[in-house]
Amino acid sequence: MKSIFDTVSKDCSKIVTKTYSTSFSMATKMLSSTIRQDIYNIYGFVRLADEIVDSFHDYPKKEMFAKFETDLEIALSNKISLNPILNAFQYTYHKYKIDRKLVDAFMNSMRQDLHKLEYKTEEEYKNYIYGSADVVGLMCLKVFVDGNQEKYDDLKASAMALGSAFQKVNFLRDLKADYDELNRTYFPNTDLDNLDETAKQHIINDIENDFAEGLSGIKMLPIEAKFGVFMAYRYYSQLLKKLKKTPALEIKNTRIRVPNYKKVELLTRSYVKYHLNLL
């Protein structure tokens, strides 16, 4: 029965989310049960694409990515896929009438990771972040506002800012892995061989501006989504605080993390702030 396969597909997306990201999974659990599965479905899709370009180094990544693109096209056109992750994603894509341009922009940024190693200009950098992060935030926003176009338009700019902030924090946190293992540099006009406090602070200031705009949008989200997104915001804000306190040279040579016990503490404090209306 198709319904059984759909259930298996959704379970796969949920497993991917829980396995790959404890922080995102924790935040997603704070969403209303009415939208939680759809966010799992989106995350499963974007994670699978990201894994192909970032992790499968011993395999023909270009061919695998091309096959994934073909399977995605078939899934969106036929409303079914034998790939359970894509089958779950196409369900959410059609349910909320997600703009195809968002999906295409995401796939374009992922495709760049197959060959592009350096982003030399602000324009290249912003275009990559738009496709790799901003559009993911916009896909989720479609779910959060239950497809309401007016609410979506009102919150679009803040959702993009929050997506940018999350991605830039990831870039700063993963500086060592991206540079040493993947030979990639995302920050333009930044000499990572000689990263200093001035350059680090410039990056952090940019992220903090994105966070400020993102928070203004969180306050306007529907009740079904507000606390879960606020939880993600709090986690990434804590990560940024740690990066801010970490010397530039140390950031380049290690990966900063928020321990699990700290995540639980953040959840508790965020819950109190949320219910006391202290956002």
Side-chain angles (χ1 to χ4, degrees), residues 7 17 29 88 245:
T7 298
T17 306
K29 286 179 182 177
K245 294 177 182 178

Side-chain angles (χ1 to χ4, degrees), residues 79-269:
K79 299 185 178 181
I80 189 172
S81 174
L82 292 179
N83 179 325
I85 297 297
L86 291 179
N87 189 55
F89 175 68
Q90 67 79 21
Y91 169 82
T92 297
Y93 170 85
H94 289 291
K95 179 181 178 181
Y96 294 96
K97 295 181 174 59
I98 291 174
D99 190 339
R100 177 59 189 267
K101 291 179 180 178
L102 300 180
V103 179
D104 291 343
F106 171 75
M107 292 298 286
N108 183 57
S109 282
M110 292 302 97
R111 194 182 306 108
Q112 288 184 60
D113 279 338
L114 289 170
H115 59 83
K116 194 171 180 62
L117 301 177
E118 186 176 0
Y119 292 81
K120 297 180 179 180
T121 68
E122 283 291 332
E123 183 179 4
E124 288 181 337
Y125 176 58
K126 288 179 180 179
N127 285 340
Y128 177 82
I129 289 179
Y130 172 76
S132 65
D134 294 4
V135 298
V136 179
L138 293 177
M139 289 185 220
C140 292
L141 180 60
K142 267 286 188 177
V143 176
F144 296 155
V145 301
D146 195 23
N148 184 301
Q149 190 63 41
E150 184 177 351
K151 290 181 181 178
Y152 175 85
D153 291 339
D154 288 343
L155 293 169
K156 183 177 179 179
S158 59
M160 290 172 60
L162 196 61
S164 291
F166 290 171
Q167 182 70 299
K168 291 169 187 176
V169 170
N170 285 336
F171 286 163
L172 195 56
R173 178 195 61 184
D174 297 336
L175 208 60
K176 175 177 171 57
D178 287 337
Y179 193 56
D180 293 347
E181 298 171 23
L182 301 176
N183 200 31
R184 288 190 202 139
T185 58
Y186 290 106
F187 296 113
N189 305 314
T190 303
D191 182 3
L192 297 185
D193 286 319
N194 299 289
L195 184 68
D196 58 20
E197 292 301 318
T198 300
K200 188 192 84 169
Q201 190 59 50
H202 175 75
I203 293 169
I204 288 174
N205 290 343
D206 181 41
I207 297 172
E208 289 179 334
N209 289 336
D210 285 334
F211 267 135
E213 184 171 355
L215 181 59
S216 67
I218 293 174
K219 296 176 181 179
M220 298 168 61
L221 283 172
I223 192 69
E224 292 84 358
K226 188 181 292 186
F227 182 57
V229 180
F230 180 60
M231 182 63 210
Y233 162 85
R234 288 274 289 163
Y235 166 73
Y236 274 94
S237 294
Q238 181 65 30
L239 198 51
L240 185 62
K241 285 181 182 178
K242 291 194 70 173
L243 289 164
K244 198 171 184 178
K245 294 177 182 178
T246 305
L249 286 177
E250 189 175 335
I251 288 177
K252 207 189 78 169
N253 293 308
T254 189
R255 190 177 192 267
I256 306 300
R257 296 178 180 272
V258 175
N260 286 336
Y261 79 86
K262 191 68 177 179
K263 292 176 185 177
V264 174
E265 182 183 324
L266 277 172
L267 174 59
T268 304
R269 291 184 177 180

